[in-house]
Amino acid sequence: MLIDEINIVIKAGNGGNGLAHLYSDGSRPKGGPDGGKGGNGGNVYFIAVSDISRLNQFRFPKKFMAQDGQKGDQNNRSGKNGDDLTLEVPIGTVINYDNGTSKEMTEVGEIFLATKGGRGGWGNHHFRSATNQTPREFQPGQKTEFKNIFLQLKLIADIGLIGLPNAGKTSLLNELTAANAKVANYPFTTLEPNLGVTRGGRIIADIPGLVEGAVEGKGLGIKFLKHIERTQILLHCLSAESQDPQADYQTVRNELNNYSSTLANKQEVLILTKSDIVTPEKLKSLEKLLKPKLSVSIIDTDSLKKLNDLIATLLS
Ligand SMILES: Nc1nc2c(ncn2[C@@H]2O[C@H](COP(=O)(O)OP(=O)(O)OP(=O)(O)O)[C@@H](O)[C@H]2O)c(=O)[nH]1
Ligand SMILES: [Mg+2]
């Protein structure tokens, strides 16, 4: 199962304590303060990767901590800095802090400093002065806090395929791209979003079918709609085998409208799918009634080429 939302806890490393130490040996019984500084705690970073299932790694465990800095050492040597921790998240992940701030990862390879390690404390060597040559004073390392993070994946695709279950969305994705996602003659075949890349390098997202009441949680609900919120264009797939295509179209529109104005106002292109399933006369009357931009069938390569060209034009 694709994890697209998850809560995790992260923590940067604590700074190491400074050391209080007075040097002495046989020749120099009062060698002076030589306690070094504590090491800095490690930072926690996020890095964006292209693997959309990367949030799955966070299912267990939920706490991710960078290393603490080590305590300062004698001879004014600093303690070792703690190692940083870098967590991979899929491109399109929004990193939400519980104070309301957030950061979106939009490019593969992008690195974000999520929480900074604590500073190491000064050792007593630092506090020596003309008036105090043997300070015992040292500074503790800075302590860091646990931070609650809500990670939310919003796929970044150019085109989103929407429609009722069984409308032929995944079949089109497979035809237009090198994707090989599951297709079957029953509703709710697609349970998780699929992504594919066209020959022209455009990303298409296929999401589970929508039903009336999806916004209230019917069918698979609308939790997948966020994945197409940022696409440029929605391809609304309407099956030629539908008994009442106008009603089917309206059902999907209603769910989009109820979900968000972003989706409701997004450019939509209507595609009549499975055009081979009806007689040419019936197809003509459907086209007259519904005015789709294109009628397609997965067994009509000419129609698929037209769809490919249409996508290229729409996104140019
Ligand atoms: N005859 C014909 N059948 C098609 C065509 N496109 C899809 N199908 C069939 O329709 C059924 C549903 O196709 P899918 O691509 O799984 O439909 P979907 O919209 O992704 O369905 P969900 O994932 O359940 O929402 C499958 O049996 C496909 O083989 C077409 O152009 N012509
Ligand atoms: Mg599907």
Side-chain angles (χ1 to χ4, degrees):
M1 188 182 131
L2 179 79
I3 292 196
D4 55 4
E5 289 186 347
I6 195 148
N7 286 298
I8 63 168
V9 175
I10 60 172
K11 184 181 175 298
N14 293 326
N17 292 339
L19 180 73
H21 184 260
L22 296 175
Y23 180 82
S24 69
D25 64 17
S27 60
R28 293 166 65 205
K30 286 189 179 171
D34 72 343
K37 181 179 176 291
N40 296 326
N43 301 326
V44 179
Y45 296 95
F46 286 103
I47 183 168
V49 297
S50 58
D51 173 7
I52 64 163
S53 65
R54 204 66 191 105
L55 291 185
N56 287 26
Q57 68 173 312
F58 297 121
R59 213 138 63 136
F60 184 84
K62 305 262 188 206
K63 271 188 188 160
F64 299 87
M65 300 194 274
Q67 218 178 23
D68 293 339
Q70 287 180 5
K71 189 169 140 183
D73 209 344
Q74 296 177 22
N75 207 11
N76 195 26
R77 279 199 306 262
S78 296
K80 195 173 161 296
N81 291 336
D83 288 340
D84 294 333
L85 177 68
T86 301
L87 301 170
E88 292 184 348
V89 292
I91 176 173
T93 300
V94 183
I95 299 159
N96 299 286
Y97 291 84
D98 56 9
N99 66 4
T101 59
S102 65
K103 157 75 187 168
E104 185 179 336
M105 303 295 276
T106 54
E107 272 175 59
V108 169
E110 180 178 359
I111 293 174
F112 172 65
L113 172 59
T115 178
K116 202 166 160 27
R119 277 188 319 277
W122 291 112
N124 65 341
H125 179 80
H126 176 82
F127 296 104
R128 72 201 187 289
S129 65
T131 51
N132 184 0
Q133 299 198 356
T134 54
R136 313 274 161 137
E137 191 182 349
F138 72 96
Q139 211 180 26
Q142 191 185 25
K143 301 277 179 281
T144 57
E145 289 179 354
F146 286 94
K147 286 188 191 289
N148 296 313
I149 303 279
F150 175 54
L151 297 172
Q152 193 181 28
L153 176 63
K154 294 186 172 185
L155 298 180
I156 298 175
D158 300 298
I159 301 260
L161 294 169
I162 53 166
L164 289 188
N166 220 26
K169 302 177 293 296
T170 307
S171 302
L172 282 184
L173 177 83
N174 288 346
E175 293 300 330
L176 294 168
T177 72
N180 187 18
K182 186 177 172 194
V183 164
N185 194 17
Y186 53 81
F188 306 118
T189 307
T190 303
L191 301 173
E192 296 158 12
N194 298 307
L195 280 191
V197 184
T198 66
R199 276 185 296 280
R202 298 303 193 164
I203 299 176
I204 303 186
D206 164 42
I207 60 167
L210 291 169
V211 292
E212 186 177 345
V215 171
E216 288 98 52
K218 297 245 174 71
L220 292 176
I222 36 93
K223 96 185 189 74
F224 299 105
L225 282 178
K226 67 174 180 286
H227 292 311
I228 53 167
E229 256 190 319
R230 294 179 305 172
T231 58
Q232 286 189 47
I233 291 160
L234 300 177
L235 282 192
H236 188 150
C237 301
L238 189 55
S239 171
E241 68 185 341
S242 162
Q243 299 305 312
D244 189 348
Q246 282 173 311
D248 286 355
Y249 174 80
Q250 207 46 57
T251 298
V252 171
R253 283 307 311 172
N254 290 346
E255 296 311 311
L256 297 182
N257 292 338
N258 291 341
Y259 181 73
S260 78
S261 57
T262 315
L263 269 190
N265 296 325
K266 199 170 286 291
Q267 185 184 353
E268 177 196 78
V269 173
L270 182 61
I271 303 291
L272 193 61
T273 59
K274 309 195 192 182
S275 62
D276 61 286
I277 247 169
V278 290
T279 61
E281 296 73 41
K282 173 80 178 161
L283 182 63
K284 272 221 169 72
S285 73
L286 282 174
E287 286 175 338
K288 206 164 156 205
L289 178 72
L290 304 163
K291 302 192 175 52
K293 194 88 180 168
L294 200 63
S295 298
V296 295
S297 156
I298 55 167
I299 56 172
D300 175 357
T301 46
D302 192 45
S303 73
L304 293 171
K305 186 178 175 312
K306 282 188 184 146
L307 180 54
N308 214 358
D309 293 346
L310 174 65
I311 289 174
T313 315
L314 289 169
L315 294 173
S316 65

